[in-house]
Amino acid sequence: MIELRDVRKRFGKQVVLDGVNFTVQDGETVALLGPSGTGKSVLLKHIIGLIKPDSGTIIVDGKDVSHLKRKELAEFRQTIGYVFQNGALFDSMDVLENVRLGIVDEDKYEDMDYVRGRVAECIRLVNLPADVVEKYPAQLSGGMRKRVGIARAIAGSPKYLLYDEPTSGLDPVNADIIDSLVQRLAQELHVTSVMVTHDVRGAFRVADRLALLSDGKIVMQGTPKEFLASDNPKVREFLERDFDNPQFAA
Amino acid sequence: MATRTLDLRVIAGRAVLDGTSHVGRLSYFVLEMVRGLSEVRIWWPRMLEEAWNIGVGSLFIVLLISAFAGAVTALQTGYQFTGSIPYYVVGTLVVSSIILELGPVLTALILAGRIGARYAAELGTMRVTEQIDALESLGRSPASHLVIPRVVAGFLMIPALTIFANLSGVVAGWLSVKAVLPVTNADFIYGAQYYYRTFDAYYSVIKAFFFAGAITVISCYMGFNTQQGAEGVGKSTTTAVVTSSVLILVLDTVLTRLLLNQH
């Protein structure tokens, strides 16, 4: 379970998170919605301890993330797969080496037979052709890079998967592929997922619950049905542009 | 006038805060490196790759520049020579100038541009494209994967390159001086040995070790703390080269005072 209690964060004079309370139950897929620049990615980085809050508590699996020691934090991070917005693949390494980095057990990491098998399995799970392992990130399309990023995140069999804008910058077809992938991985790997996105349509397709971040606070958390029925003006304002979209209606 | 005073105070205050912040972050950065040293299995293979890259990649330019430095030193010595000074002294001047100063300092300044800029740009790009965050998110230490291999490779290869630079400078100086002065090989060797002390060679390598620290640690630190996209990478790279070059000259002065005055 992931729980954020009254988390506050400011960068200089800019308040990014202003008392965020946010909960994700085990096995759930939660989409964190909000306009660009509202601090969704910052919130996600708090969960994995890449950013420390100015105040408040972040509890993951009963551990207070911001108070973990260096070694504890490294071990804790091995239970979480993080998918970065632009893939964040190592451009000097081929796909095999990139995905290999996700294997957290050091003995397995050194065992090249295991590595090849595990990398091939992860590449298959994200629907990429087997020969992609020999390619470098620069030789891949945007959608393929995102999927390699997901393959790297799942290589260590994490309990949690955090996706930072997994469909941003993709065409609708590729965005649908990634959305389906997020949904399928949640079911097949039984992971708890948090997906940061401003793609309302994708979020409604994939998530069990939604949360809307606006002005540094979680304005609403609930199921897609509860969101659709909400008369909260900020929720309505955020959803309305997509209500008129025929694709969303479909 | 009051506004001007206030501005100066603000500027001085910011400079002090920035300086203190850098000292704190650099100390933490070095501490992380020391902690990461125990992960030999991670950094050793990457270090060998880096050492090969920077060693072989820099050898030609280092040999070339030190050869020119040795030649120019010899030619200028020949220009300043009058009949009252014995010719063998030219051997002393060329060898001492190259080994004590020109070899290590010129090599370090070249490598501050070549290796320092590369390290800062590589790590800076990795920072702004979230590759360093990605490593951390995988529970891996950026220090042992990215920083230690570069720093250790620098500590191994920069002194080695300095030794090659010294040899190249001395040989080029030797050949050049014969073109402008009637110096025999025996004269040159006699002069080179007359004032030479074994400590001079150690001194040259000791300086190179300190310069290696200045180049690698500063460049990696600047790259590691890059902010704000492509402009930030450019800024970090420039700052890394300028800072490490200035630090090389400061260290050169301090080490000369500390080490040569003791012998």
Side-chain angles (χ1 to χ4, degrees):
Chain A
M1 182 178 158
I2 299 170
E3 191 179 2
L4 278 75
R5 294 180 202 147
D6 198 26
V7 171
R8 291 169 196 274
K9 182 71 185 177
R10 65 161 67 206
F11 294 108
K13 289 178 182 172
Q14 189 191 1
V15 177
V16 180
L17 302 179
D18 189 15
V20 167
N21 292 294
F22 178 59
T23 309
V24 183
Q25 300 295 338
D26 283 345
E28 264 190 327
T29 297
V30 175
L32 183 59
L33 295 162
S36 297
T38 48
K40 304 186 295 296
S41 300
V42 170
L43 191 153
L44 210 60
K45 286 182 178 173
H46 274 84
I47 296 175
I48 198 167
L50 286 173
I51 298 177
K52 287 196 171 187
D54 295 336
S55 65
T57 317
I58 299 148
I59 309 284
V60 181
D61 258 355
K63 293 175 187 133
D64 186 345
V65 177
S66 46
H67 289 97
L68 291 177
K69 289 179 182 159
R70 185 176 170 271
K71 201 174 173 186
E72 292 170 335
L73 188 60
E75 284 168 6
F76 159 75
R77 282 172 175 162
Q78 292 175 352
T79 65
I80 299 185
Y82 195 106
V83 180
F84 285 82
Q85 192 168 350
N86 295 309
L89 301 179
F90 299 96
D91 40 24
S92 59
M93 296 179 184
D94 60 19
V95 169
L96 179 93
E97 285 298 319
N98 265 287
V99 179
R100 183 187 178 198
L101 277 172
I103 298 170
V104 292
D105 184 308
E106 283 304 315
D107 291 327
K108 288 178 178 170
Y109 178 84
E110 296 293 337
D111 177 355
M112 281 313 289
D113 287 336
Y114 174 83
V115 167
R116 283 193 197 93
R118 181 64 184 151
V119 170
E121 189 184 353
C122 295
I123 289 295
R124 184 185 54 74
L125 276 168
V126 297
N127 294 335
L128 282 172
D131 63 353
V132 81
V133 293
E134 293 163 9
K135 294 189 174 171
Y136 283 81
Q139 297 171 289
L140 305 175
S141 68
M144 289 169 94
R145 277 202 291 272
K146 298 228 180 199
R147 280 188 274 170
V148 173
I150 296 174
R152 181 176 66 188
I154 62 174
S157 308
K159 188 176 175 189
Y160 300 94
L161 271 175
L162 309 180
Y163 300 89
D164 188 0
E165 303 270 13
T167 58
S168 73
L170 296 181
D171 59 82
V173 175
N174 269 306
D176 281 351
I177 291 171
I178 297 287
D179 285 340
S180 305
L181 188 59
V182 171
Q183 207 168 21
R184 188 162 62 76
L185 290 176
Q187 287 161 1
E188 287 185 20
L189 306 177
H190 308 292
V191 288
T192 305
S193 309
V194 181
M195 181 172 82
V196 156
T197 185
H198 55 253
D199 173 16
V200 179
R201 184 175 147 265
F204 270 74
R205 277 187 58 198
V206 169
D208 301 315
R209 280 196 309 123
L210 308 167
L212 177 64
L213 183 67
S214 180
D215 297 330
K217 293 178 190 295
I218 296 288
V219 176
M220 180 180 173
Q221 288 188 74
T223 62
K225 274 188 182 175
E226 287 168 343
F227 258 68
L228 286 173
S230 170
D231 52 6
N232 183 316
K234 285 188 175 166
V235 174
R236 301 303 318 163
E237 185 189 351
F238 191 71
L239 295 184
E240 261 164 19
R241 64 192 170 107
D242 282 300
F243 277 127
D244 297 331
N245 184 333
Q247 279 183 305
F248 179 76
Chain B
M1 187 65 193
T3 310
R4 190 176 177 81
T5 310
L6 186 63
D7 284 347
L8 282 173
R9 281 180 189 169
V10 169
I11 291 165
R14 277 192 189 142
V16 169
L17 282 176
D18 282 352
T20 313
S21 161
H22 273 300
V23 169
R25 279 187 288 165
L26 183 61
S27 307
Y28 184 74
F29 183 76
V30 173
L31 182 66
E32 280 295 301
M33 272 199 301
V34 173
R35 283 170 169 166
L37 280 172
S38 60
E39 296 178 330
V40 181
R41 197 162 62 163
I42 301 290
W43 61 259
W44 181 260
R46 291 171 173 81
M47 185 279 291
L48 292 178
E49 201 179 317
E50 271 309 322
W52 176 263
N53 285 340
I54 64 171
V56 175
S58 309
L59 188 59
F60 175 73
I61 187 73
V62 164
L63 291 179
L64 184 77
I65 289 180
S66 56
F68 276 106
V72 170
T73 306
L75 294 174
Q76 287 185 351
T77 306
Y79 169 71
Q80 290 166 9
F81 251 61
T82 62
S84 59
I85 303 172
Y87 285 130
Y88 71 82
V89 175
V90 77
T92 307
L93 283 174
V94 169
V95 171
S96 295
S97 306
I98 294 292
I99 292 181
L100 293 178
E101 183 66 14
L102 291 175
V105 174
L106 269 183
T107 304
L109 290 173
I110 297 159
L111 296 179
R114 195 180 182 281
I115 300 173
R118 176 182 158 167
Y119 282 2
E122 279 176 352
L123 293 179
T125 305
M126 292 182 85
R127 170 61 77 192
V128 300
T129 55
E130 293 186 309
Q131 292 177 48
I132 293 177
D133 283 347
L135 260 187
E136 286 189 86
S137 78
L138 294 164
R140 299 188 174 277
S141 155
S144 43
H145 279 77
L146 303 174
V147 181
I148 294 171
R150 286 171 167 83
V151 172
V152 176
F155 272 112
L156 288 178
M157 296 316 293
I158 292 174
L161 287 165
T162 300
I163 293 170
F164 279 108
N166 289 344
L167 291 172
S168 167
V170 168
V171 170
W174 187 350
L175 296 175
S176 301
V177 81
K178 286 174 71 176
V180 292
L181 289 175
V183 183
T184 64
N185 288 342
D187 281 342
F188 189 90
I189 292 169
Y190 176 76
Q193 289 178 332
Y194 194 78
Y195 290 102
Y196 179 78
R197 294 168 306 166
T198 313
F199 177 75
D200 292 354
Y202 292 143
Y203 170 76
S204 189
V205 174
I206 290 168
K207 284 215 299 195
F209 267 110
F210 278 92
F211 296 161
I215 294 167
T216 56
V217 175
I218 295 295
S219 304
C220 289
Y221 167 76
M222 290 297 175
F224 208 78
N225 288 287
T226 299
Q227 289 173 335
Q228 294 166 351
E231 189 189 342
V233 175
K235 196 176 163 191
S236 298
T237 307
T238 310
T239 311
V241 173
V242 171
T243 309
S244 50
S245 299
V246 170
L247 196 53
I248 285 164
L249 298 174
V250 171
L251 281 171
D252 187 32
T253 312
V254 172
L255 290 171
T256 304
R257 176 76 182 86
L258 289 178
L259 298 176
L260 285 192
N261 284 16
Q262 309 297 319
H263 285 79

